[in-house]
């Protein structure tokens, strides 16, 4: 898959950016501000907007979270602002996209909440009204600089490559600005061939519509750089305007908060790498990440900063989780939930992504570090004491662990398996199995999972059982009993749509039960959806609904009487726990950990014969007795509450960690 197609598939871009039109459209300008905590800075920012741009529409998205202290007073003093409030932190890119959608006929002025407007920006507004100009920025005064040290044109940067990114990280961009090794210009540029920083950035609506919105994978930092790269690739121009713009000092919103500052630096580093990957290749991204890790260890100033953020002499071992990407799925979500709970219990926790970040980074508390690190450079800053690495059973994570494990005597490694075991042959390659045997323990999801994983090859002499969990004990305290099925029973399947998940088998099984009342909704998307959906008989379309992608289990299960999991291959399907946590009864194929999850059929219906006839018989038995479903859902809920909470998962991992250090 090309980078362009991957970007379109992952981030919703429908095609290449369109070239600039022959004539620009004259539009009003809207001011967009994304707030994050620090209401005093936001107040100062909005006062300056009111002074210099009093007639413009101003929209603010507050990422601080509900009822952040001091924010209500700022809102009260600015009633004319269009406020978007109360959401969790959705990230800068997503917030800008949401605000831009609320002002569809306007050009856009992106203004940081820690930036102070110094004038009416007449030149900047004129610049984006010119045909072919995608974005323009005025000069930025650094609040920490003074006199000759201030270079307000440094808002403009040369095109960033691997060498320039590393030079900037090393702190030599200023000294080398007269060479091609620096991303800084020696004098105000006539044409910007890289990007303009986003502290005060005006964007043409024509360009926004042609190029597309910000890529929300960036979450924070790098999104405006990526957008401008796409715009320039389509023939648009960037303009640096010689007028006084704003006073701005970087990272103002996290000043005085070392934990938030650390997350900010980790996001910046990862998103510079993401820009290099999208604009060049993943190898340059990995070289940048490895290079910055090396610089942190050899530069004196970096060593001091690194030492200051390490927890020395911690009573509990540090815990590192690895994953390829923080995308919605099984193991990735569990690492976030488990890491958050262990962090709450006093462990130093780091999540290391081998490839890229992902949308789940928004759900990780700032006290849990999230870093991007290539598998072949396993350099993670930790305290001076014991540490344990928890990996998946992939090649990249195992390679990372093998190198990491050799670098310290007080290091331990646990393999947290999540790949569905093969039932008739070895699951792992010979080399991967041999590498995993060097771990200090293999963590299985259930007793049956361990039996199947170890049936055809030796994956480790010491093993632990630590089932996943999806809800906290507190969240389950007020789950009301389900009412009897009223009307036509609503069946739901929620999964990635690939053949081994068997949505077509479920439809064919129900096709033979037309005389019974039922309605099926299939949620999810995937590479096999079009082909498998086409197998649904036309005269069943009023009863079988392919709903497509769901934003999460809550949406898919909101109107569900029975969850169906017909897969022929699973390890530990979390959707079963999601249903059990809502007292929704479950019917599932008897594969891997599923019988353990459903208490051998007491807490849910098991289908041993995973064929159309086998599923049809099992469904008939349930559909003929819907009055039994609430009791089945209650037994599943009790099972989940006892064995599959986040706390139970953390208890099991704590026991395993203690054991490997015993």
């Amino acid at each position: 898959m090309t980078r362009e197609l991957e970007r379109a598939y992952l981030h919703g871009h429908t095609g290449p950016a369109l070239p600039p039109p022959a004539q620009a459209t004259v539009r009003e300008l809207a001011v967009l501000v994304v707030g994050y905590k620090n209401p005093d800075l936001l107040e100062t920012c909005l006062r300056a907007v009111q002074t210099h741009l009093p007639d413009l529409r101003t929209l603010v998205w507050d990422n601080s979270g509900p009822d952040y202290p001091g924010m209500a007073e700022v809102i009260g003093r600015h009633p004319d602002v269009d406020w978007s409030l109360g959401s969790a932190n959705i990230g800068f890119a997503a917030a800008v996209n949401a605000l831009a959608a609320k002002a569809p006929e306007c050009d856009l002025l992106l203004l940081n909440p820690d930036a102070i407007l110094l004038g009416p920006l007449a030149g900047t507004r004129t610049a984006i009204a010119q045909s072919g100009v995608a974005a323009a920025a005025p000069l930025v005064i650094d609040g920490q600089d003074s006199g000759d040290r201030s270079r307000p044109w440094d808002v403009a940067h040369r095109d960033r490559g691997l060498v320039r990114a590393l030079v900037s990280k090393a702190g030599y961009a200023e000294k080398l600005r007269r060479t091609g090794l620096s991303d800084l210009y020696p004098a105000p540029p006539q044409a910007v061939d890289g990007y303009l920083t986003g502290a005060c950035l005006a964007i043409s609506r024509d360009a926004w519509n042609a190029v597309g919105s910000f890529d929300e994978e960036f979450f924070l930092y790098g999104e405006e750089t990526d957008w401008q790269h796409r715009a320039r690739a389509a023939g648009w121009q960037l303009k640096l305007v010689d007028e006084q713009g704003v006073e701005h000092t970087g990272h103002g919103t996290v000043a005085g908060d070392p934990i938030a500052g650390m997350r900010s630096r980790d996001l910046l580093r990862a998103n510079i790498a993401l820009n290099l990957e999208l604009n060049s290749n993943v190898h340059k991204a990995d070289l940048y990440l490895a290079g910055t890790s090396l610089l942190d260890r050899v530069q004196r100033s970096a060593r001091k900063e690194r030492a200051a953020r390490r927890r020395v002499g911690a009573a509990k071992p540090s815990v590192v989780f690895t994953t390829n990407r923080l995308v919605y799925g099984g193991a990735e979500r569990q690492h976030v939930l488990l890491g958050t709970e262990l962090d709450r219990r006093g462990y130093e926790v780091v999540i290391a992504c081998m490839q890229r970040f992902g949308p789940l980074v928004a759900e990780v508390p700032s006290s849990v570090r999230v870093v991007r690190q290539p598998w072949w450079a396993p350099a993670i800053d930790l305290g001076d004491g014991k540490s344990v690495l928890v990996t998946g059973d992939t090649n990249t994570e195992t390679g990372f662990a093998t190198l990491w494990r050799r670098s310290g005597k007080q290091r331990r490694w646990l393999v947290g398996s999540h790949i569905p075991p093969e039932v008739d042959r070895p699951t792992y390659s010979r080399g991967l199995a041999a590498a995993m045997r060097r771990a200090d323990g293999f963590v299985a999801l259930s007793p049956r999972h361990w039996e199947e994983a170890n049936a055809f090859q030796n994956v480790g002499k010491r093993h632990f059982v630590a089932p996943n969990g999806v809800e906290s004990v507190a969240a389950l305290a007020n789950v009301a009993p389900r009412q009897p099925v009223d009307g036509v029973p609503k069946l739901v399947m929620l999964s990635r749509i690939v053949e081994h998940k068997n949505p077509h088998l479920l439809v064919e099984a129900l096709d033979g039960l037309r005389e019974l009342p039922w309605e099926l909704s299939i949620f999810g998307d995937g590479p096999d959806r079009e082909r498998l959906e086409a197998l649904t008989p036309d005269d069943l379309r009023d009863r079988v609904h392919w709903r497509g992608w769901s934003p999460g289990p809550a949406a898919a299960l909101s109107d569900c009487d029975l969850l169906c999991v017909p897969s022929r291959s699973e390890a530990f399907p979390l959707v079963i726990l999601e249903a059990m946590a809502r007292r929704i009864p479950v019917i599932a194929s008897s594969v891997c950990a599923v019988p353990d999850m459903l208490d051998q059929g007491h807490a849910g219906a098991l289908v041993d014969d995973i064929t159309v006839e086998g599923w049809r018989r099992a469904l008939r038995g349930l559909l003929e007795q819907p009055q039994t479903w609430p009791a089945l859902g209650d037994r599943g809920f009790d099972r989940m509450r006892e064995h599959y909470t986040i706390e139970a998962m953390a208890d099991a991992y704590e026991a395993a960690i203690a054991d490997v250090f015993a």
Side-chain angles (χ1 to χ4, degrees):
M1 180 181 289
T2 66
R3 288 198 306 278
E4 290 75 14
L5 287 176
E6 180 186 32
R7 186 192 291 268
Y9 176 76
L10 290 175
H11 313 301
H13 301 148
T14 56
L18 299 175
Q23 182 66 41
T25 306
V26 178
R27 304 178 188 271
E28 293 293 325
L29 185 68
V31 181
L32 311 185
V33 181
V34 179
Y36 180 69
K37 303 182 178 180
N38 214 318
D40 291 341
L41 285 177
L42 181 59
E43 169 70 24
T44 303
C45 172
L46 293 178
R47 281 183 186 174
V49 172
Q50 196 172 42
T51 299
H52 296 291
L53 299 172
D55 299 326
L56 296 188
R57 181 181 176 190
T58 301
L59 302 91
V60 177
W61 186 287
D62 181 28
N63 266 334
S64 308
D67 303 319
Y68 188 80
M71 200 61 71
E73 289 78 6
V74 178
I75 295 167
R77 287 191 290 269
H78 297 276
D80 294 334
V81 169
D82 184 342
W83 293 92
S84 296
L85 305 167
S87 76
N89 186 0
I90 64 172
F92 179 80
V96 168
N97 290 345
L99 291 177
K102 294 180 69 173
E105 299 303 319
C106 296
D107 291 330
L108 310 173
L109 178 66
L110 274 56
L111 191 63
N112 278 18
D114 55 355
I116 304 172
L117 202 62
L118 300 176
L121 304 181
T124 302
R125 297 169 70 176
T126 299
I128 60 167
Q130 299 172 12
S131 177
V133 175
L139 305 181
V140 174
I141 308 301
D142 190 331
Q144 292 182 337
D145 281 346
S146 62
D148 293 336
R149 292 183 58 210
S150 179
R151 289 186 172 85
W153 66 81
D154 281 354
V155 64
H157 295 259
R158 291 167 167 146
D159 194 21
R160 179 191 285 143
L162 173 61
V163 173
R164 286 175 179 167
L166 287 173
V167 166
S168 180
K169 168 64 179 176
Y172 295 115
E174 172 65 34
K175 293 181 178 179
L176 298 175
R177 68 164 62 234
R178 296 190 178 279
T179 75
L181 299 177
S182 174
D183 67 336
L184 300 178
Y185 290 101
Q190 296 299 312
V192 178
D193 63 358
Y195 65 96
L196 301 159
T197 55
C200 180
L201 183 68
I203 295 178
S204 159
R205 172 61 68 167
D206 288 343
W208 185 266
N209 292 340
V211 175
S213 57
F214 280 171
D215 185 338
E216 295 179 12
E217 184 178 358
F218 284 90
F219 190 74
L220 176 65
Y221 300 122
E223 57 287 302
E224 82 275 18
T225 307
D226 169 73
W227 187 89
Q228 291 173 75
H229 179 88
R230 286 187 273 142
R232 288 193 301 102
W236 294 81
Q237 299 175 33
L238 308 175
K239 291 286 187 180
L240 175 66
V241 182
D242 186 13
E243 69 174 350
Q244 202 171 51
V246 296
E247 181 179 311
H248 176 255
T249 300
H251 306 288
T253 56
V254 297
D257 186 342
I259 293 177
M262 178 60 62
R263 171 59 57 84
S264 179
R265 288 188 289 273
D266 288 337
L267 284 168
L268 177 60
R269 173 178 176 268
N271 286 340
I272 290 174
L274 181 56
N275 264 298
L276 290 170
E277 178 176 348
L278 293 175
N279 299 337
S280 185
N281 58 58
V282 69
H283 305 298
K284 288 186 178 180
D286 285 349
L287 286 171
Y288 171 76
L289 294 165
T292 56
S293 295
L294 180 61
L295 287 170
D296 282 345
R297 283 155 176 76
V298 300
Q299 285 191 296
R300 180 178 301 175
S301 59
R303 287 204 307 270
K304 289 182 179 179
E305 180 184 334
R306 180 169 166 257
R309 66 180 181 238
R310 295 171 68 189
R311 187 180 300 177
V312 179
K316 297 182 177 181
S318 302
V319 182
V320 181
F321 294 95
T322 62
T323 185
N324 284 324
R325 296 190 187 188
L326 280 173
V327 294
Y328 290 104
E332 297 83 5
R333 182 66 183 274
Q334 299 318 112
H335 284 162
V336 170
L337 294 174
L338 177 57
T340 301
E341 176 62 18
L342 291 177
D343 171 71
R344 189 188 67 80
R345 297 184 183 194
Y347 291 83
E348 178 187 21
V349 179
V350 180
I351 299 176
C353 298
M354 306 293 97
Q355 296 174 0
R356 275 148 68 166
F357 283 2
L360 273 173
V361 72
E363 300 184 20
V364 183
S366 295
S367 52
V368 174
R369 285 196 69 192
V370 183
V371 298
R372 178 176 170 182
Q373 202 68 23
W375 71 266
W376 47 267
I380 305 293
D381 289 336
L382 298 169
D384 294 332
K386 300 174 181 177
S387 55
V388 60
L389 179 69
V390 180
T391 73
D393 44 0
T394 65
N395 287 310
T396 52
E397 294 176 83
T398 300
F400 182 100
T402 300
L403 296 172
W404 180 89
R405 180 74 166 76
R406 293 173 178 170
S407 302
K409 293 183 178 180
Q410 296 196 81
R411 296 184 173 188
R412 302 291 185 270
W413 170 24
L414 291 171
V415 176
S417 173
H418 58 84
I419 292 177
E422 299 289 348
V423 296
D424 56 357
R425 61 184 182 275
T427 302
Y428 308 105
S429 68
R430 185 175 300 177
L432 180 56
M436 290 193 300
R437 283 197 294 273
R438 291 194 288 269
D440 299 284
F442 186 97
V443 182
L445 294 163
S446 79
R448 179 164 164 173
H449 179 216
W450 166 250
E451 292 172 6
E452 292 187 0
N454 206 48
F456 294 94
Q457 60 189 153
N458 177 15
V459 294
K461 294 181 179 179
R462 174 190 279 178
H463 81 278
F464 306 93
V465 174
N468 286 330
V470 298
E471 287 287 1
S472 66
V473 172
L476 298 173
N478 299 312
V479 179
R482 293 187 68 80
Q483 298 301 311
V485 177
D486 183 20
V488 176
K490 294 180 174 60
L491 281 56
V492 168
M493 177 181 176
L494 170 63
S495 78
R496 186 164 183 260
I497 305 302
V498 290
E499 185 163 353
H500 76 264
K501 298 287 188 178
N502 276 344
H504 54 302
L505 180 147
L506 178 60
V507 172
E508 189 174 350
L510 287 168
D511 189 13
L513 302 173
R514 295 185 181 222
E515 74 280 7
L516 295 173
W518 56 265
E519 187 175 320
L520 172 66
S521 291
I522 301 174
F523 289 91
D525 211 341
D528 297 337
R529 177 184 168 185
E530 184 177 358
R531 177 172 59 85
L532 298 179
E533 183 177 349
L535 301 177
T536 301
D538 290 338
D539 57 352
L540 273 185
R541 295 285 178 176
D542 59 335
R543 300 179 73 178
V544 176
H545 310 285
W546 292 76
R547 306 289 190 185
W549 179 82
S550 172
L557 299 176
S558 62
D559 190 19
C560 174
D561 295 315
L562 179 69
L563 176 73
C564 302
V565 186
S567 307
R568 68 170 183 265
S569 176
E570 293 278 6
F572 190 100
L574 290 171
V575 68
I576 291 179
L577 298 189
E578 297 284 2
M580 294 164 78
R582 295 167 172 80
R583 296 186 188 268
I584 297 171
V586 176
I587 177 172
S589 298
S590 183
V591 294
C592 197
V594 173
D596 294 328
M597 297 171 73
L598 297 180
D599 197 15
Q600 313 309 317
H602 179 72
L606 290 171
V607 183
D608 292 306
D609 179 13
I610 310 173
T611 64
V612 171
E613 287 302 321
W615 263 84
R616 186 174 293 162
R617 284 193 301 271
L619 286 167
R620 180 183 294 279
L622 286 172
L623 290 170
E624 289 177 345
Q625 302 182 71
Q627 69 276 9
T628 65
W629 294 9
L632 186 62
D634 288 343
R635 294 197 295 273
F637 177 80
D638 292 341
R639 174 85 173 163
M640 190 270 172
R641 184 171 52 182
E642 183 177 357
H643 296 283
Y644 303 121
T645 61
I646 295 170
E647 290 85 352
M649 173 174 59
D651 289 344
Y653 268 93
E654 275 198 296
I657 291 169
D659 193 280
V660 296
F661 281 110

